[in-house]
Amino acid sequence: MTNLIPDDITLAIPGNVGFFEVLIVVSFILHILFVNITIGSSVLAVGKEIQGMSKKDRKIDRIAQQLADHTSIMKSIAVVLGIAPLLLISVIYTQYFYSSTNLIGKAWLSLIALLITAFLILYLYKFTWEKMRGGSKALHVLIGATGSLILLFVPLIFIVNVVSMLYPTMWAGSEGFFHSLTYYPQIWQRYFHFILASFATSGIYLYFYNRRAEKKIERLLKEGETVEDEAEKREVHKMSKRLGIQTMFWTTALQLVAGTALLMSFEKEVMMLYMGEDALLTGLLLGSILLTLVLLFFLYKLGKTDSKGNFNAVIITFVIILVFMGWMRHELRESYLHDYIEANPRTTEKVLPVVETEDDEEGLEVELEEDAK
């Protein structure tokens, strides 16, 4: 079969590859953190609004409104923070990333229209909340659900892109984005792993935000100021914190299942690296599992006792897990592409231009005469 991996461009990688690899891990973690909050909060907002409608509970509706407000803020940060990892992956893995992007070119270009549409719809969802609180609630839910569904679809395009770049030998059989959804391994396992992470991250953020909001009310009261609808706000914050803890606990527990399914979807040679054949990768996997169990323990304690110590323990454990996951994701990509990179090396040094001499010109003339004969 013809080698479909193109030669790297002649422009050298503008710096140390190892340094760029650290940057791509750090920048991706920051980016995906806000992406998770955006997607998780948008879906939770719609779900809580439906629950508030069915129970006719104003407090639940306030929780949903709060989640919608978070979505509109976090999505802007997520987009800005996405620039760095996108640039870095295109520099470090040029031959693979651009090739896989070309294979789903139409879907990739549609990202701009999809994101603009989703953001406009979610702005409409946010700013018409009070106006449509009366008899137009069903329409309002439909607006929010439409925006959330678009956001749920967008990650599939990115996942197909980064997964297909790991399988150059399968490029010849690729027939576009929708075909790729079932053509490449890992696609749906990665997607469900990502969605669970989105709910878990939005859950801890929901708890964090309402914990700070409670402290703000207490500070204002101590300063002698009055807080409008104090009792209702306190109850909303309490309910939101409980929702955040429960959401993070159960989705984190499910990650143990989703993570196992993702591991089993790897090629056997790569999977075995995480199961004893490579000390670093095995250590990262075991460490992430252990830390997940520790996180579940601290989440349980936080749900029972709302203390600063328990909260700090959850945050610290969560951040360490993020680092482990980001590192493992990079090592997985390197494991898949290692042999391909050796056979198709990157341009890491400046390529000097070829200077023709008179001897070269004479040799070229002889070759042309021979070709003519």
Side-chain angles (χ1 to χ4, degrees):
M1 174 180 163
T2 304
N3 185 4
L4 298 179
I5 302 173
D7 293 333
D8 197 8
I9 58 176
T10 55
L11 291 175
I13 295 176
N16 182 272
V17 174
F19 175 67
F20 282 166
E21 288 176 339
V22 172
L23 281 183
I24 197 173
V25 171
V26 174
S27 62
F28 178 77
I29 290 172
L30 293 174
H31 165 63
I32 206 65
L33 183 66
F34 288 93
V35 170
N36 287 155
I37 296 173
T38 300
I39 294 176
S41 295
S42 69
V43 176
L44 285 173
V46 175
K48 296 307 290 185
E49 185 177 14
I50 294 172
Q51 184 184 11
M53 286 174 58
S54 62
K55 293 187 175 182
K56 301 186 185 305
D57 191 326
R58 177 183 169 88
K59 292 187 290 294
I60 296 178
D61 189 73
R62 288 296 185 193
I63 296 173
Q65 187 176 12
Q66 182 189 122
L67 286 162
D69 289 342
H70 296 166
T71 300
S72 65
I73 297 169
M74 295 300 162
K75 57 87 180 166
S76 300
I77 303 175
V79 170
V80 173
L81 290 177
I83 296 172
L86 183 61
L87 291 175
L88 287 164
I89 196 172
S90 64
V91 169
I92 303 174
Y93 304 101
T94 307
Q95 299 144 283
Y96 310 94
F97 181 72
Y98 281 114
S99 298
S100 63
T101 302
N102 285 331
L103 292 172
I104 57 166
K106 292 179 181 179
W108 181 260
L109 291 175
S110 72
L111 279 172
I112 299 172
L114 287 171
L115 289 173
I116 291 174
T117 302
F119 293 165
L120 290 175
I121 290 174
L122 290 173
Y123 275 131
L124 180 65
Y125 183 57
K126 172 184 176 179
F127 290 111
T128 57
W129 202 289
E130 297 295 339
K131 186 177 181 180
M132 302 181 76
R133 192 184 290 277
S136 304
K137 262 299 187 183
L139 176 59
H140 191 251
V141 169
L142 180 61
I143 292 171
T146 303
S148 294
L149 286 173
I150 296 174
L151 287 186
L152 286 171
F153 175 74
V154 165
L156 276 173
I157 299 176
F158 286 96
I159 289 173
V160 167
N161 197 0
V162 297
V163 169
S164 64
M165 67 179 279
L166 306 180
Y167 296 92
T169 56
M170 298 179 69
W171 289 348
S174 177
E175 299 176 9
F177 169 72
F178 289 102
H179 173 255
S180 298
L181 291 175
T182 54
Y183 178 61
Y184 293 105
Q186 304 184 35
I187 299 292
W188 292 102
Q189 292 89 335
R190 282 199 183 212
Y191 181 74
F192 289 119
H193 194 273
F194 166 81
I195 294 301
L196 287 173
S198 295
F199 284 116
T201 308
S202 59
I204 192 60
Y205 174 75
L206 186 64
Y207 179 91
F208 169 75
Y209 176 86
N210 284 278
R211 192 173 190 275
R212 290 197 62 182
E214 278 186 336
K215 298 295 183 183
K216 183 178 179 180
I217 290 176
E218 293 175 2
R219 187 178 68 253
L220 291 173
L221 293 174
K222 285 181 180 180
E223 294 173 355
E225 299 185 26
T226 57
V227 178
E228 186 179 355
D229 298 328
E230 176 196 340
E232 180 180 293
K233 287 182 178 178
R234 283 184 177 274
E235 184 62 23
V236 168
H237 294 322
K238 182 179 178 181
M239 292 170 63
S240 296
K241 289 198 302 180
R242 189 185 309 119
L243 172 64
I245 292 295
Q246 291 174 348
T247 300
M248 189 177 192
F249 182 89
W250 290 112
T251 52
T252 301
L254 287 173
Q255 283 288 35
L256 295 171
V257 179
T260 302
L262 178 58
L263 178 65
M264 300 301 292
S265 70
F266 298 162
E267 291 183 7
K268 184 178 179 180
E269 295 78 9
V270 176
M271 181 180 68
M272 294 308 297
L273 295 176
Y274 288 87
M275 302 183 72
E277 290 189 2
D278 186 279
L280 173 62
L281 297 183
T282 302
L284 287 172
L285 177 61
L286 291 177
S288 65
I289 294 172
L290 178 61
L291 285 168
T292 300
L293 295 174
V294 172
L295 178 60
L296 289 172
F297 170 73
F298 285 129
L299 283 169
Y300 176 79
K301 287 187 64 178
L302 185 60
K304 293 293 184 180
T305 306
D306 185 7
S307 67
K308 184 178 180 181
N310 288 335
F311 175 67
N312 289 339
V314 168
I315 292 296
I316 292 170
T317 309
F318 176 66
V319 170
I320 297 174
I321 290 175
L322 276 179
V323 174
F324 269 56
M325 289 298 178
W327 191 358
M328 275 201 296
R329 186 178 186 274
H330 174 70
E331 292 295 338
L332 175 66
R333 183 168 53 227
E334 284 288 305
S335 298
Y336 268 96
L337 295 179
H338 178 267
D339 292 340
Y340 298 115
I341 292 174
E342 284 196 344
N344 303 271
R346 301 163 171 147
T347 307
T348 56
E349 296 180 1
K350 185 177 179 180
V351 179
L352 297 176
V354 177
V355 179
E356 292 187 354
T357 64
E358 292 183 2
D359 292 338
D360 294 329
E361 293 178 357
E362 291 176 1
L364 179 60
E365 289 177 0
V366 172
E367 289 179 7
L368 291 174
E369 289 176 2
E370 291 177 352
D371 291 340
K373 292 178 181 180

